[in-house]
Coordinates of all heavy atoms in Angstrom, one line a residue:
I205 N 12.6 9.9 -14.6 CA 11.8 10.2 -15.8 C 12.6 9.5 -16.9 O 13.8 9.3 -16.9 CB 11.6 11.7 -16.1 CG1 13.0 12.4 -16.2 CG2 10.8 12.3 -15.1 CD1 12.9 13.8 -16.7
R206 N 11.8 9.0 -17.9 CA 12.4 8.3 -19.1 C 11.7 8.8 -20.3 O 10.5 8.9 -20.5 CB 12.1 6.8 -18.9 CG 12.7 6.0 -20.1 CD 12.4 4.5 -19.9 NE 13.1 4.0 -18.7 CZ 12.8 2.9 -18.0 NH1 11.7 2.2 -18.4 NH2 13.4 2.5 -17.0
S207 N 12.6 9.2 -21.3 CA 12.1 9.6 -22.6 C 12.7 8.7 -23.7 O 13.5 7.8 -23.4 CB 12.4 11.1 -22.9 OG 13.8 11.2 -23.1
R208 N 12.5 9.0 -24.9 CA 13.1 8.3 -26.0 C 14.6 8.5 -26.0 O 15.4 7.6 -26.5 CB 12.5 8.7 -27.4 CG 11.0 8.3 -27.5 CD 10.5 8.8 -28.9 NE 9.1 8.4 -29.1 CZ 8.4 8.7 -30.1 NH1 9.0 9.4 -31.1 NH2 7.1 8.3 -30.2
S209 N 15.1 9.6 -25.5 CA 16.5 10.0 -25.6 C 17.3 9.5 -24.4 O 18.5 9.4 -24.4 CB 16.7 11.5 -25.7 OG 16.0 12.0 -26.8
G210 N 16.6 9.1 -23.3 CA 17.3 8.7 -22.1 C 16.5 8.9 -20.8 O 15.3 9.1 -20.8
C211 N 17.2 9.0 -19.7 CA 16.6 9.0 -18.4 C 17.2 10.2 -17.6 O 18.2 10.8 -17.9 CB 16.8 7.7 -17.6 SG 15.9 6.3 -18.3
F212 N 16.5 10.5 -16.5 CA 17.0 11.4 -15.5 C 16.5 11.0 -14.1 O 15.3 10.7 -14.0 CB 16.6 12.9 -15.8 CG 17.2 13.9 -14.9 CD1 18.5 14.3 -15.1 CD2 16.5 14.4 -13.8 CE1 19.1 15.3 -14.2 CE2 17.1 15.3 -12.9 CZ 18.4 15.7 -13.1
N213 N 17.4 11.1 -13.1 CA 17.1 10.8 -11.8 C 17.1 12.0 -10.9 O 18.2 12.6 -10.8 CB 18.0 9.7 -11.2 CG 17.7 9.2 -9.9 OD1 16.8 9.7 -9.2 ND2 18.3 8.1 -9.5
F214 N 16.0 12.4 -10.3 CA 15.9 13.6 -9.5 C 16.4 13.3 -8.1 O 16.5 14.1 -7.2 CB 14.5 14.1 -9.3 CG 14.0 14.8 -10.6 CD1 13.3 14.1 -11.5 CD2 14.2 16.1 -10.7 CE1 12.8 14.8 -12.7 CE2 13.8 16.8 -11.9 CZ 13.1 16.1 -12.8
R215 N 16.7 12.0 -7.8 CA 17.3 11.5 -6.5 C 16.5 12.0 -5.3 O 15.3 11.7 -5.2 CB 18.8 11.9 -6.5 CG 19.6 11.3 -7.6 CD 21.0 11.3 -7.4 NE 21.7 10.8 -8.6 CZ 21.8 9.5 -8.8 NH1 21.4 8.6 -7.9 NH2 22.4 9.0 -9.9
E216 N 17.1 12.8 -4.4 CA 16.4 13.1 -3.2 C 15.3 14.2 -3.3 O 14.5 14.4 -2.4 CB 17.4 13.6 -2.1 CG 18.0 14.9 -2.4 CD 19.2 14.9 -3.3 OE1 19.5 13.8 -3.8 OE2 19.8 15.9 -3.6
A217 N 15.2 14.8 -4.5 CA 14.2 15.9 -4.7 C 12.8 15.3 -4.7 O 12.6 14.2 -5.3 CB 14.5 16.6 -5.9
V218 N 11.9 15.9 -4.0 CA 10.5 15.5 -4.0 C 9.8 16.0 -5.3 O 9.9 17.2 -5.6 CB 9.7 16.0 -2.8 CG1 8.2 15.6 -2.9 CG2 10.3 15.4 -1.5
G219 N 9.2 15.1 -6.0 CA 8.5 15.5 -7.2 C 7.0 15.3 -7.1 O 6.5 14.3 -6.7
F220 N 6.2 16.3 -7.5 CA 4.7 16.2 -7.4 C 4.2 16.1 -8.9 O 4.1 17.2 -9.5 CB 4.1 17.5 -6.7 CG 4.5 17.7 -5.3 CD1 5.6 18.5 -5.0 CD2 3.8 17.1 -4.3 CE1 6.0 18.7 -3.7 CE2 4.2 17.3 -3.0 CZ 5.3 18.1 -2.7
P221 N 3.8 15.0 -9.3 CA 3.1 14.9 -10.6 C 1.8 15.7 -10.5 O 1.1 15.6 -9.5 CB 2.8 13.4 -10.8 CG 3.8 12.7 -9.9 CD 4.0 13.6 -8.8
V222 N 1.5 16.5 -11.5 CA 0.3 17.4 -11.4 C -0.7 17.1 -12.5 O -0.4 17.1 -13.7 CB 0.8 18.9 -11.5 CG1 -0.4 19.8 -11.5 CG2 1.7 19.2 -10.3
L223 N -2.0 17.0 -12.1 CA -3.1 16.9 -13.0 C -3.8 18.3 -12.9 O -3.8 19.0 -11.9 CB -4.1 15.8 -12.6 CG -3.6 14.4 -12.6 CD1 -4.7 13.5 -11.9 CD2 -3.4 13.9 -14.0
L224 N -4.6 18.6 -14.0 CA -5.5 19.7 -13.9 C -6.9 19.1 -13.5 O -7.2 18.0 -13.9 CB -5.6 20.4 -15.3 CG -4.4 21.2 -15.7 CD1 -4.7 22.0 -16.9 CD2 -4.0 22.2 -14.6
D225 N -7.6 19.9 -12.7 CA -8.9 19.5 -12.2 C -9.8 19.1 -13.4 O -9.9 19.8 -14.4 CB -9.5 20.6 -11.4 CG -10.8 20.1 -10.7 OD1 -10.8 18.9 -10.2 OD2 -11.7 20.9 -10.6
K226 N -10.4 17.9 -13.3 CA -11.4 17.4 -14.3 C -10.7 17.1 -15.6 O -11.4 17.0 -16.7 CB -12.5 18.4 -14.5 CG -13.4 18.6 -13.2 CD -14.5 19.6 -13.5 CE -15.4 19.8 -12.2 NZ -14.6 20.3 -11.1
N227 N -9.4 17.0 -15.6 CA -8.6 16.7 -16.9 C -8.3 15.2 -16.8 O -7.5 14.8 -15.9 CB -7.4 17.6 -17.0 CG -6.7 17.4 -18.3 OD1 -6.6 16.3 -18.8 ND2 -6.2 18.5 -18.9
E228 N -8.8 14.4 -17.7 CA -8.5 13.0 -17.7 C -7.5 12.5 -18.7 O -7.3 11.3 -18.9 CB -9.8 12.2 -18.0 CG -11.0 12.5 -17.0 CD -12.2 11.8 -17.3 OE1 -12.3 11.1 -18.4 OE2 -13.2 11.9 -16.6
S229 N -6.7 13.5 -19.2 CA -5.7 13.2 -20.2 C -4.4 12.8 -19.6 O -3.4 12.5 -20.3 CB -5.5 14.3 -21.2 OG -5.1 15.5 -20.5
G230 N -4.2 12.9 -18.3 CA -3.0 12.5 -17.6 C -2.3 13.7 -17.1 O -2.8 14.8 -17.1
F231 N -1.1 13.4 -16.5 CA -0.3 14.5 -15.9 C 0.1 15.5 -17.0 O 0.4 15.2 -18.1 CB 1.0 13.9 -15.3 CG 0.8 12.9 -14.2 CD1 1.4 11.7 -14.2 CD2 -0.1 13.2 -13.2 CE1 1.2 10.8 -13.2 CE2 -0.4 12.3 -12.2 CZ 0.3 11.0 -12.2
L232 N 0.2 16.8 -16.5 CA 0.7 17.9 -17.4 C 2.0 18.4 -16.9 O 2.8 18.9 -17.8 CB -0.4 19.0 -17.4 CG -1.7 18.7 -18.1 CD1 -2.5 20.0 -18.2 CD2 -1.4 18.2 -19.5
Y233 N 2.3 18.3 -15.6 CA 3.5 18.9 -15.1 C 4.1 18.0 -14.0 O 3.4 17.1 -13.5 CB 3.3 20.2 -14.5 CG 2.5 21.2 -15.3 CD1 1.2 21.5 -15.0 CD2 3.1 21.8 -16.4 CE1 0.5 22.4 -15.7 CE2 2.4 22.7 -17.2 CZ 1.1 23.0 -16.8 OH 0.4 23.9 -17.6
L234 N 5.4 18.2 -13.8 CA 6.1 17.7 -12.6 C 6.6 18.9 -11.9 O 7.5 19.6 -12.4 CB 7.2 16.7 -13.0 CG 7.9 16.1 -11.8 CD1 7.0 15.1 -11.1 CD2 9.2 15.3 -12.2
D235 N 6.0 19.1 -10.7 CA 6.5 20.2 -9.8 C 7.5 19.7 -8.9 O 7.2 18.9 -8.0 CB 5.3 20.9 -9.1 CG 4.4 21.7 -10.0 OD1 4.8 21.9 -11.2 OD2 3.4 22.2 -9.6
V236 N 8.7 20.2 -9.0 CA 9.9 19.6 -8.2 C 10.2 20.6 -7.1 O 10.4 21.8 -7.3 CB 11.1 19.4 -9.1 CG1 12.2 18.8 -8.3 CG2 10.8 18.6 -10.3
L237 N 10.2 20.0 -5.9 CA 10.5 20.8 -4.7 C 12.0 21.1 -4.6 O 12.8 20.3 -4.5 CB 10.1 20.0 -3.4 CG 10.3 20.7 -2.1 CD1 9.4 22.0 -2.0 CD2 10.0 19.8 -0.9
R238 N 12.3 22.4 -4.7 CA 13.7 22.9 -4.7 C 14.1 23.5 -3.4 O 15.3 23.6 -3.1 CB 13.9 23.9 -5.8 CG 13.7 23.3 -7.2 CD 14.6 22.1 -7.5 NE 14.6 21.7 -8.9 CZ 15.2 20.6 -9.3 NH1 15.8 19.8 -8.4 NH2 15.2 20.3 -10.6
S239 N 13.2 23.9 -2.6 CA 13.5 24.5 -1.3 C 12.2 24.3 -0.4 O 11.1 24.5 -0.9 CB 13.9 25.9 -1.4 OG 14.0 26.6 -0.1
E240 N 12.4 24.0 0.9 CA 11.3 23.9 1.8 C 11.0 25.2 2.5 O 9.8 25.5 2.8 CB 11.6 22.8 2.8 CG 11.6 21.4 2.2 CD 11.8 20.3 3.2 OE1 11.5 20.5 4.4 OE2 12.1 19.2 2.8
E241 N 12.0 26.0 2.9 CA 11.8 27.2 3.6 C 12.7 28.3 3.1 O 13.9 28.3 3.4 CB 12.0 27.0 5.1 CG 11.0 26.1 5.8 CD 11.3 26.0 7.3 OE1 12.1 26.8 7.9 OE2 10.6 25.2 8.0
P242 N 12.2 29.2 2.2 CA 10.9 29.2 1.7 C 10.6 28.1 0.7 O 11.5 27.6 0.1 CB 10.8 30.6 1.1 CG 12.2 30.8 0.6 CD 13.1 30.2 1.7
M243 N 9.4 27.8 0.5 CA 9.0 26.7 -0.4 C 9.1 27.2 -1.8 O 8.4 28.2 -2.2 CB 7.6 26.2 -0.1 CG 7.3 24.9 -0.8 SD 5.7 24.2 -0.2 CE 5.6 22.8 -1.3
L244 N 9.9 26.5 -2.6 CA 10.1 26.8 -4.0 C 9.8 25.6 -4.8 O 10.4 24.5 -4.6 CB 11.5 27.4 -4.3 CG 11.9 28.6 -3.6 CD1 13.3 29.0 -4.0 CD2 11.0 29.8 -4.0
L245 N 8.9 25.7 -5.8 CA 8.6 24.6 -6.7 C 9.0 25.0 -8.1 O 8.8 26.1 -8.6 CB 7.1 24.3 -6.7 CG 6.5 23.7 -5.4 CD1 5.0 23.7 -5.6 CD2 7.1 22.3 -5.2
Q246 N 9.7 24.1 -8.8 CA 10.1 24.3 -10.2 C 9.1 23.5 -11.1 O 9.1 22.2 -11.0 CB 11.5 23.8 -10.5 CG 11.9 24.0 -11.9 CD 13.3 23.5 -12.2 OE1 13.9 22.8 -11.3 NE2 13.8 23.8 -13.3
R247 N 8.3 24.2 -11.9 CA 7.3 23.5 -12.7 C 8.0 23.1 -14.0 O 8.6 23.9 -14.7 CB 6.2 24.4 -13.0 CG 5.2 23.8 -14.1 CD 3.8 24.4 -13.9 NE 3.2 23.8 -12.7 CZ 2.0 24.2 -12.3 NH1 1.2 25.0 -13.0 NH2 1.5 23.7 -11.2
M248 N 7.9 21.8 -14.3 CA 8.5 21.2 -15.5 C 7.4 20.5 -16.4 O 6.7 19.6 -15.9 CB 9.6 20.2 -15.1 CG 10.6 20.8 -14.2 SD 12.1 19.8 -13.9 CE 13.0 20.1 -15.5
G249 N 7.3 21.0 -17.6 CA 6.4 20.4 -18.6 C 7.1 19.3 -19.4 O 8.3 19.0 -19.2
E250 N 6.4 18.8 -20.4 CA 7.0 17.7 -21.2 C 8.4 18.1 -21.8 O 9.3 17.3 -21.7 CB 6.0 17.3 -22.3 CG 6.5 16.2 -23.2 CD 5.6 15.9 -24.3 OE1 4.6 16.6 -24.5 OE2 5.9 14.9 -25.0
Q251 N 8.5 19.3 -22.5 CA 9.7 19.6 -23.1 C 10.8 19.9 -22.1 O 12.0 19.5 -22.4 CB 9.5 20.9 -24.0 CG 10.7 21.2 -24.9 CD 11.0 20.0 -25.8 OE1 10.2 19.5 -26.5 NE2 12.3 19.6 -25.8
D252 N 10.5 20.5 -21.0 CA 11.5 20.6 -19.9 C 12.1 19.3 -19.5 O 13.3 19.2 -19.3 CB 10.9 21.3 -18.7 CG 10.3 22.7 -19.0 OD1 11.0 23.5 -19.7 OD2 9.2 22.9 -18.6

Side-chain angles (χ1 to χ4, degrees):
I205 58 172
R206 181 181 295 160
S207 72
R208 294 179 180 179
S209 301
C211 294
F212 184 82
N213 187 346
F214 286 94
R215 300 194 183 279
E216 69 277 0
V218 177
F220 298 92
V222 176
L223 295 171
L224 289 187
D225 188 37
K226 299 180 178 62
N227 187 319
E228 299 179 358
S229 62
F231 299 132
L232 291 185
Y233 310 107
L234 184 67
D235 286 357
V236 182
L237 182 64
R238 295 305 190 187
S239 170
E240 293 187 14
E241 293 184 9
M243 190 170 179
L244 298 177
L245 292 173
Q246 180 183 8
R247 172 154 291 179
M248 306 190 76
E250 180 183 7
Q251 190 58 53
D252 303 314

